[in-house]
Amino acid sequence: MALHLPTPRSKSVPQKTTGLDGMNVTVAAAAAEGIARAQETSRGLAGLTARVSVRQLRREIGNDGLRQAAIDAGRTPPSDRTLRRWVQQDRIPHAETAELAQRRAAISRLGGVDAVAQRIGRSSSSVRKYMSGKTNELRNDANSKLKEAKATDTMRKAGVLRPDGTPKVATIRVTGRVHVRNGDEAGYDYRTRTLDFGNSDVPFSAEESRQIAAALANDDQARVVAILERHATLDYPENKGFDIYGDQFGFHFDAIDKLDVTWH
């Protein structure tokens, strides 16, 4: 006779991130991967990603820009035929070339090297070194300023910011495998649930919405999960009894199957 056992929890390594309140937390890798899938399939998340298609990369930086990214990565510059194949497959086969192409395109979208240098308070030379991969991190607070600038640009183009720059509010519905615990093994409650935050007594605030949009725009899926878990723990009606958030208490996603977001 077959045994109907519960779905085992993910064995993948948890991801560390910083929650909305600055608390260091860990989230399930399968939940973060679910957010990444939703960024590709959910209409409300279209465009909310730091990564763009190879076709768009070529449109933004041209064949010469793609070739320069390959050269900066220490590779032979691709031929026109190779570039066409990259576009058709929507894939640059070498990770370092792909990363440098994305950097080059992001800096182009923000107005070019000199504009970015002025915006983040660094020299044009520093920005060029970052763009070419000679350095992987900008010094001091320049890295966070660049990250914020890129996220704001992505959010604006995705339509989640109003013309005056204020954020639209997110209405979120998420389905996934969850567990709720209250500090001991006996408190675990595993099941698949759909949380409709739009019908909650405490919907997402403008600040929560901005933080989720920024995390999505930076491809920080783990942070998105952390924000969802915090809101589910503290504000979602069914979970009010689990009002301490952290690794030992509260509401946690083991996996996320579907995420729908609308902005208003």
Side-chain angles (χ1 to χ4, degrees), residues 70-251:
I71 293 169
D72 290 339
R75 295 191 170 274
T76 302
S79 65
D80 287 347
R81 181 178 180 181
T82 297
L83 291 174
R84 287 195 297 269
R85 184 171 67 250
W86 287 2
V87 171
Q88 290 168 356
Q89 297 177 350
D90 192 21
R91 176 178 174 268
I92 297 175
H94 309 113
E96 188 173 358
T97 301
E99 169 62 23
L100 294 181
Q102 292 284 350
R103 288 188 190 185
R104 186 172 288 273
I107 289 171
S108 176
R109 287 195 295 273
L110 292 173
V113 169
D114 293 340
V116 170
Q118 184 175 8
R119 192 165 182 174
I120 66 176
R122 300 295 296 170
S123 67
S124 297
S125 175
S126 295
V127 176
R128 288 192 185 92
K129 288 179 180 179
Y130 170 78
M131 185 173 66
S132 65
K134 292 180 180 178
T135 179
N136 282 325
E137 292 288 344
L138 292 164
R139 296 175 60 185
N140 300 326
D141 63 345
N143 194 55
S144 60
K145 287 181 178 179
L146 177 59
K147 189 175 181 180
E148 181 181 356
K150 288 163 60 179
T152 300
D153 181 67
T154 298
M155 291 158 63
R156 179 180 57 80
K157 290 181 177 178
V160 302
L161 295 180
R162 298 186 178 91
D164 63 357
T166 58
K168 295 181 180 179
V169 176
T171 299
I172 297 173
R173 194 169 188 264
V174 57
T175 300
R177 190 170 68 252
V178 308
H179 69 271
V180 180
R181 52 185 173 179
N182 57 8
D184 56 42
E185 294 291 334
Y188 278 55
D189 174 19
Y190 294 99
R191 51 181 159 159
T192 296
R193 289 175 58 184
T194 296
L195 279 69
D196 188 350
F197 293 109
N199 290 326
S200 171
D201 292 337
V202 184
F204 274 82
S205 66
E207 179 57 24
E208 285 176 309
S209 300
R210 174 186 281 277
Q211 293 293 337
I212 282 183
L216 288 164
N218 285 317
D219 291 329
D220 190 352
Q221 293 90 3
R223 181 169 168 81
V224 176
V225 176
I227 295 171
L228 292 173
E229 288 182 344
R230 178 183 182 276
H231 191 92
T233 298
L234 299 178
D235 297 320
Y236 199 67
E238 293 183 28
N239 305 325
K240 283 292 188 180
F242 305 97
D243 58 358
I244 303 176
Y245 178 66
D247 287 339
Q248 298 302 317
F249 299 84
F251 181 99

